[in-house]
Amino acid sequence: MLDRLTPIHGNTEAKAMAKMVLEHLGLPWAPHLASSQPVVSAAQANTVESTLKQLETGMPLQYALGCAWFLNRPYRVNQHVLIPRPETEE
């Protein structure tokens, strides 16, 4: 996952994105998952692949996941709505 995201988003951002994708799917996050093949269901693998393809096009992570957090609550988002900004919570 990191090998596909790092050239586009940089190392730090790619790691954060990979962690969020895995957490969104309820998969455990550990740095070694980037290089080893975790055991996932076919549906989870398809979702990860679809999400990676969207992220490789430059789509914001929240749109790719279909979810954005705001005031400690998840909200469904897509390309037709604005992504809540962290500054707005302040």
Side-chain angles (χ1 to χ4, degrees):
M1 185 180 302
L2 290 178
D3 58 331
R4 292 171 63 180
L5 295 175
T6 300
I8 301 162
H9 300 284
N11 191 42
T12 303
E13 185 71 14
K15 284 181 182 178
M17 292 174 99
K19 181 179 178 185
M20 291 177 78
V21 168
L22 294 173
E23 287 177 348
H24 184 75
L25 294 173
L27 298 171
W29 163 254
H32 71 275
L33 288 180
S35 60
S36 65
Q37 294 296 321
V39 177
V40 297
S41 70
Q44 289 170 323
N46 288 339
T47 301
V48 168
E49 180 62 28
S50 172
T51 303
L52 284 176
K53 285 181 180 178
Q54 292 173 338
L55 294 173
E56 287 174 326
T57 69
M59 179 182 282
L61 177 65
Q62 295 88 340
Y63 289 157
L65 296 178
C67 178
W69 284 83
F70 183 72
L71 294 174
N72 297 319
R73 298 181 78 184
Y75 289 89
R76 292 169 130 187
V77 295
N78 61 33
Q79 295 85 344
H80 303 288
V81 300
L82 295 174
I83 298 169
R85 304 278 307 163
E87 302 84 38
T88 309
E89 291 181 324
E90 296 172 4

